[in-house]
Amino acid sequence: MEKLLKDKVKEEQPRLSSLFEKVLLKNKLTHAYLMESKEIESAYVFSLWLAQSIFCEETENHLPCGLCNNCQRIVSQDFPDVTTIEPDGQTIKVDQIRDIKQTFIRSGMESRKKALIIKNAEKMTVSAANSLLKFIEEPDGMMHIFFLTNNSNRILSTIQSRCQQIYLHPTSKSALLAEVSKESSLTKKQVELIVELSESKKKAVELSSDEWFNSARETVSKWFQYLDKKNALAFIFVQQHLVKLGKDKEQQFLILDILLNMYRLELKEQVALDSFSKERYNNAIEVIITARKKLEANVSFQNVCEQLVWQVLY
Ligand SMILES: [Zn+2]
């Protein structure tokens, strides 16, 4: 027998699935998600599991059973209220979205709950994306939409800012996380950070015993606290500590990557549970990614960091 979706997501995305179990238990599933993953099929499995939670007939505390008729039909993509749209050739066209809307109307399904999953959402044409904007701006409580992409920077910012953004790390990293945790005396959060920044076990082990990295983690963590609390000391901190810490380009990029992952690791859960502003979170992530691009374009590290503080704080 094939593995149940709920077991598959637990195995592939242990951290994210336990986070979403909490979200579902509190009945806090929101109407629009933007899911970024380098492995689009892994994001697809995850979105189907969330779709099951909406339609499951035997749900317990909003968690899908995986076994009822609806759950099974969703997995085999034979359930009319869960629709998947994929690129038709190079793009997802506005006609594809219109067709779906028409189907909903014709079959009287507009009065029922439904889920729309858009695979490779970065391939939506601007008009296709715009045709969905109205819906995500004025949710009707009936439709849930999941945009899946391998690169959320290529999604229209109007869509980005209106969705809750989720980052799924590659499934290989889940295995790496389990392996490194077993052999390390670091805290769970510290191991998670290292794994996010490593491609292999060798690299993860190297990082965990690297003196520069360990002091960088502590320094960036203080910077993150200031930024998170909108404390203006974050500004002075750049010159006092970060400039000395990031001596070359490689270290400077790593500092920004540490910060990015601290945001993701520390705040994603709070955002999903509605205890941290989604706008503030999305804005901070976007600002850090932009800072990285500026550094690539040879803006000085100090300027990049100071602009980052300015944009996060004001
Ligand atoms: Zn079920």
Side-chain angles (χ1 to χ4, degrees):
M1 195 181 136
E2 213 184 321
K3 207 177 278 174
L4 287 178
L5 222 51
K6 60 178 176 182
D7 296 329
K8 214 166 163 181
V9 295
K10 253 186 208 143
E11 198 178 287
E12 290 187 356
Q13 302 291 337
R15 206 175 55 208
L16 202 61
S17 64
S18 71
L19 164 61
F20 269 89
E21 279 179 6
K22 288 184 208 159
V23 171
L24 294 175
L25 287 173
K26 294 194 170 189
N27 201 11
K28 289 261 187 196
L29 195 68
T30 189
H31 69 289
Y33 286 97
L34 174 58
M35 301 185 159
E36 177 174 352
S37 173
K38 294 279 170 277
E39 300 159 355
I40 210 75
E41 281 310 311
S42 171
Y44 188 52
V45 165
F46 205 86
S47 65
L48 286 177
W49 175 64
L50 291 177
Q52 281 184 335
S53 79
I54 303 168
F55 299 101
C56 176
E57 298 168 312
E58 305 282 338
T59 163
E60 214 171 294
N61 297 319
H62 306 286
L63 294 176
C65 72
L67 293 165
C68 70
N69 189 33
N70 287 1
C71 280
Q72 291 192 28
R73 285 178 70 193
I74 287 170
V75 177
S76 46
Q77 294 169 52
D78 170 34
F79 188 72
D81 297 327
V82 177
T83 307
T84 303
I85 297 186
E86 292 183 70
D88 174 11
Q90 288 303 302
T91 56
I92 295 174
K93 300 174 181 69
V94 68
D95 291 347
Q96 290 176 267
I97 312 274
R98 273 199 206 116
D99 286 349
I100 297 292
K101 282 185 177 166
Q102 278 305 316
T103 317
F104 284 155
I105 292 165
R106 262 202 311 274
S107 56
M109 273 166 36
E110 77 271 28
S111 58
R112 301 213 305 257
K113 283 202 169 182
K114 50 203 168 285
L116 187 59
I117 303 173
I118 305 198
K119 261 187 178 179
N120 298 102
E122 74 283 353
K123 297 202 169 152
M124 284 188 293
T125 61
V126 173
S127 49
N130 281 333
S131 75
L132 286 168
L133 255 187
K134 185 176 173 295
F135 158 73
I136 48 177
E137 277 169 346
E138 299 161 24
D140 58 4
M142 301 309 277
M143 175 126 103
H144 290 265
I145 188 159
F146 303 95
F147 296 96
L148 316 182
T149 181
N150 56 24
N151 186 353
S152 52
N153 291 324
R154 286 171 57 203
I155 303 285
L156 277 188
S157 59
T158 43
I159 298 246
Q160 271 186 50
S161 61
R162 286 168 177 82
C163 292
Q164 188 168 311
Q165 297 198 32
I166 309 276
Y167 174 75
L168 288 85
H169 62 193
T171 47
S172 55
K173 293 221 168 162
S174 302
L176 188 58
L177 186 65
E179 221 178 319
V180 178
S181 309
K182 233 187 303 174
E183 299 170 16
S184 152
S185 56
L186 297 171
T187 67
K188 198 169 152 241
K189 284 234 163 96
Q190 288 171 341
V191 174
E192 281 180 352
L193 177 65
I194 285 169
V195 166
E196 287 297 339
L197 297 165
S198 315
E199 292 306 324
S200 64
K201 189 180 169 192
K202 183 167 168 280
K203 177 86 180 147
V205 171
E206 261 172 38
L207 269 188
S208 61
S209 56
D210 184 291
E211 210 175 303
W212 180 86
F213 176 78
N214 285 311
S215 84
R217 187 185 60 216
E218 306 230 321
T219 307
V220 178
S221 168
K222 278 183 204 140
W223 193 35
F224 167 72
Q225 313 271 344
Y226 287 141
L227 288 168
D228 181 33
K229 297 194 168 54
K230 293 200 170 224
N231 186 328
L233 286 174
F235 199 78
I236 308 164
F237 197 86
V238 173
Q239 205 191 4
Q240 278 183 339
H241 300 282
L242 294 181
V243 174
K244 281 173 218 154
L245 184 66
K247 289 182 211 75
D248 56 37
K249 265 270 156 69
E250 196 190 339
Q251 292 181 340
Q252 294 166 359
F253 276 119
L254 201 45
I255 288 171
L256 292 177
D257 289 343
I258 293 172
L259 182 69
L260 180 66
N261 283 293
M262 280 183 177
Y263 263 94
R264 283 178 172 158
L265 294 169
E266 300 287 335
L267 295 178
K268 190 166 61 182
E269 175 159 347
Q270 294 182 36
V271 172
L273 293 169
D274 261 355
S275 54
F276 189 88
S277 149
K278 185 182 80 186
E279 286 71 26
R280 261 186 71 191
Y281 173 77
N282 287 349
N283 174 50
I285 298 286
E286 207 179 304
V287 165
I288 302 169
I289 290 170
T290 310
R292 226 183 169 284
K293 286 183 193 152
K294 287 183 194 158
L295 194 59
E296 269 166 30
N298 287 323
V299 180
S300 86
F301 182 57
Q302 183 169 348
N303 278 341
V304 165
C305 293
E306 286 175 352
Q307 286 168 19
L308 182 153
V309 173
W310 190 258
Q311 286 171 308
V312 169
L313 259 54
Y314 304 103

